Amino acid sequence: IYRPSSWLRFGVVAKDINQPGFDAPDGTRFKLDPQIRTGIAINPYSSLTLTSDVDVTSNKTLVPGQKSQVLSLGAEQTILAEFLSLRIGAFKNLQDAASPITPTAGLGLRIFAFRMDVGGGYDFREKGVLGSFSLSMTF
């Protein structure tokens, strides 16, 4: 992460650099290719974060012939001294011209060291809901 000022951050992450492999149930070997993702975060004021990130590389999927290269945009507004976090965003697979933009939203609660996050999105093409839930504690 590079932070040239208090309100601006850039980041890059690389994963699967050593190309790990796994044995599939059918006896074949599945290898993960290296992936690179980059992003930017802007804090126009202390309680608002605007983000954008993108896969620099296109990535194989488990579906033969289908690749993934995701562009994501989002915003998070915290209120009441970060007790409540409200999030909105969207993502799209740039390698699939027919893929729709998937809207997302989330809610976070923080009480002392405890954190609860709920998020979701709606895939209009698949007509299905994406969801996540997490509990964490910082100590």
Side-chain angles (χ1 to χ4, degrees), residues 49 51 73-77 86-90 103-106:
T49 304
T51 64
L73 302 170
E76 178 185 67
Q77 177 68 57
L86 304 171
R87 300 179 193 101
I88 60 167
T104 61

Side-chain angles (χ1 to χ4, degrees), residues 9 40-51 74-78:
R9 288 171 290 188
I40 183 172
I42 299 170
N43 294 98
Y45 52 93
S46 63
S47 64
L48 177 64
T49 304
L50 305 173
T51 64
E76 178 185 67
Q77 177 68 57
T78 60

Side-chain angles (χ1 to χ4, degrees), residues 26-39:
D26 65 1
T28 60
R29 185 102 173 129
F30 182 77
K31 185 177 79 169
L32 297 175
D33 292 330
Q35 298 178 14
I36 301 171
R37 191 165 180 84
T38 188

Side-chain angles (χ1 to χ4, degrees), residues 15 17 33 44 46 51 61-62 65 67 75 91 102-104 106 114 119 138:
K15 66 181 184 177
I17 303 269
D33 292 330
S46 63
T51 64
T61 68
L62 294 174
K67 291 198 169 212
F91 67 88
T102 302
T104 61
F114 171 76
T138 304

Side-chain angles (χ1 to χ4, degrees), residues 115-133:
R115 181 91 186 200
M116 179 184 74
D117 285 291
V118 178
Y122 187 76
D123 185 326
F124 288 97
R125 181 169 61 179
E126 299 296 325
K127 296 183 178 22
V129 174
L130 314 164
S132 69
F133 175 78

